[in-house]
Amino acid sequence: MDIVIALFDRLTALDAIGPYEVLSRIPGARVQFAGKSRGPIATDNRFLTLMVDTPLSEIERADLLLWPGGFGTRALERDEEVLDWTRRIHTTTTKTTSVCTGSLVLGAAGLLRGLEATTHWAVLPRLAEFGARPVSRRVVPQGKVVTSAGVSSGIDMALQLVAELVSEERAQAIQLALEYDPEPPFQAGSPQKAPAAVREKVREAIVQRLS
Amino acid sequence: MDIVIALFDRLTALDAIGPYEVLSRIPGARVQFAGKSRGPIATDNRFLTLMVDTPLSEIERADLLLWPGGFGTRALERDEEVLDWTRRIHTTTTKTTSVCTGSLVLGAAGLLRGLEATTHWAVLPRLAEFGARPVSRRVVPQGKVVTSAGVSSGIDMALQLVAELVSEERAQAIQLALEYDPEPPFQAGSPQKAPAAVREKVREAIVQRLS
C-alpha cells in the first residue's frame, strides 16, 4: 500500500506523526513524505524539523493520501501547484484523508463539495466556504474522502482506516502495539467539554493565526 | 523552560512527537532535539527522518529531559556515552521522563533503582533488571522521575507534567488546542483489554525485536 503524507512549512507535527505511526505498521506499507521540495521543513512550533523525501512532482499516485494541518495550510489554500497536485493524486487514491486544517486544503482543491467534513473545532465553520457541510464529529468518512478533527484525532482516523482497508484484527494489533488506551488527565479535549474560559482563549489564539 | 528530547536510531516517532506537541506549547518553552551527532536520524519504521539539532556534548542541562523509546533503546542500554550523559543531565533537571522503552535507558543509567516505573507492556518485567519495581500503570510519577507506558502514553504524561509544572488551566488549554478527546475504535489498547490472540501476536513480535 502506497501511503503519501504531505509536509509543508508550519505543519503541526502530531497531525502527521499520529497517523504515520499507525499506517506505517500496515504490512507492506510504503510511506512517502511529500512536499514542494526535498529536504527539511520546519513545523509550526519551529523546534522540530521533518524531512521531505519526495517532491510533489515525483509522486503520480497514492493508495492513501493524507493532508495534515497546521497554521501553514492557510497559504496552501491559494497555492495552485499544491491544489492541482492534490486533485490529480485524488483521482488515483482509495482514500483521500485529512487531519485538522488539512481538510481546508482538500476543500480549497474542490474535493469536499457537497460532502460532510470536519476540521479543528476552532475553524469548523470555514468548511462551508468550500461547499462542504461542517460536522462536529471526530472522524467523518464520506466514501473515499475521510476528514478528521483537530491534531490528535488523526490517530483515531488511522485506526479506523486500517480496520476498513486491512482488517479489524490488524487495527487492534496496531492499537495494542502503540498501547493506545488513552487516559486524558482532564475533561477538556473538546469545546463542549472544556471550561468556557479555556475554550474562548484557545479559540481566539487559533483563529487569530489562521485568518 | 528548557526541554531536551533525545533522538536515536530506530526511535519510535510518536514516543517523541506526542509529548513534543504538548510540551512545546508551554509558554516560553525551548525544545532541543539531542542526539549523538547533529543531522538526520531514521525512525524505527525507516520511512520518517527526524533531525537532531544539538549533539549531546553541547547540552549541559535541562529543566525537562525526555527519553522516547523504540527498538533502538536496546543498543543504548550498553552505550556508556549515552548513559553518562543521561546521568549528568539528570542532576540538573526538574523532571527526568521517559516514554515506552525510554525507561530502559533511564534504568540502565541507574536512575530507577528502588523506584516504581513503567514501560511498554510487552517488556515490563525487564525493569526489574535495573532495580526498579515494574508497575502496570499508564503514567508513573516518582518525584522528579516520571515514566510512561507504550508509545501513545507520552501524550497523557506530558499533559500531567504541564498541569504540575505550569497550571491545570494551561494543560486544559493545550489538551483542547490538540482536540485530545480520544475515541479509540476498539477496546484493544492494553493487554488486559485486547483479545488474547491479538495480544500474544503483538507480544511475540515486540519481544523478538527487543531481545
Side-chain angles (χ1 to χ4, degrees), chain A residues 24 45 138 179 181 193, chain B residues 24 45 138 177 179 181 193:
Chain A
S24 64
N45 294 325
R138 195 150 172 88
E179 210 162 341
D181 186 27
K193 293 177 181 172
Chain B
S24 63
N45 295 325
R138 196 152 171 86
E179 208 161 342
D181 186 25
K193 293 177 182 172

Side-chain angles (χ1 to χ4, degrees), chain A residues 183 185-186, chain B residues 1 3-5 18-20 22-24 26 63-67 94-99 139-148 153-172 174:
Chain A
E183 292 178 10
F186 302 101
Chain B
M1 188 181 303
I3 295 163
V4 173
I5 299 177
Y20 164 72
V22 173
L23 298 171
S24 63
I26 293 174
D63 296 305
L64 192 156
L65 170 63
L66 185 136
W67 265 106
T94 304
K95 295 285 177 189
T96 297
T97 72
S98 67
V99 180
V139 180
V140 180
Q142 297 273 286
K144 76 181 238 176
V145 176
V146 187
T147 56
S148 64
S153 67
I155 300 172
D156 295 328
M157 177 179 73
L159 287 167
Q160 286 191 26
L161 288 168
V162 175
E164 184 182 341
L165 297 173
V166 187
S167 70
E168 291 204 354
E169 194 196 6
R170 178 60 63 177
Q172 290 171 341
I174 293 174

Side-chain angles (χ1 to χ4, degrees), chain A residues 91-151:
Chain A
T91 66
T92 73
T93 62
T94 305
K95 294 286 178 188
T96 299
T97 71
S98 66
V99 180
C100 201
T101 61
S103 60
L104 302 178
V105 180
L106 299 186
L111 304 183
L112 299 181
R113 269 191 288 270
L115 301 183
E116 293 190 341
T118 197
T119 187
H120 193 287
W121 62 269
V123 294
L124 187 60
R126 286 209 55 219
L127 284 166
E129 297 172 25
F130 307 112
R133 295 195 300 280
V135 293
S136 180
R137 288 203 306 274
R138 195 150 172 88
V139 181
V140 180
Q142 297 273 286
K144 76 181 240 177
V145 177
V146 187
T147 56
S148 63
V151 193

Side-chain angles (χ1 to χ4, degrees), chain B residues 2-80:
Chain B
D2 281 312
I3 295 163
V4 173
I5 299 177
L7 299 182
F8 53 90
D9 184 51
R10 303 180 74 212
L11 157 89
T12 298
L14 186 56
D15 288 24
I17 305 309
Y20 164 72
E21 202 59 70
V22 173
L23 298 171
S24 63
R25 290 163 192 256
I26 293 174
R30 183 175 73 132
V31 184
Q32 289 175 292
F33 287 93
K36 296 189 97 166
S37 55
R38 194 176 272 119
I41 67 107
T43 58
D44 54 359
N45 295 325
R46 292 326 206 189
F47 298 117
L48 175 68
T49 301
L50 300 176
M51 296 295 279
V52 170
D53 52 45
T54 315
L56 299 182
S57 58
E58 290 182 17
I59 293 185
E60 303 197 332
R61 59 168 302 285
D63 296 305
L64 192 156
L65 170 63
L66 185 136
W67 265 106
F71 295 118
T73 57
R74 195 69 175 130
L76 299 181
E77 290 176 33
R78 290 174 290 259
D79 186 323
E80 286 303 325

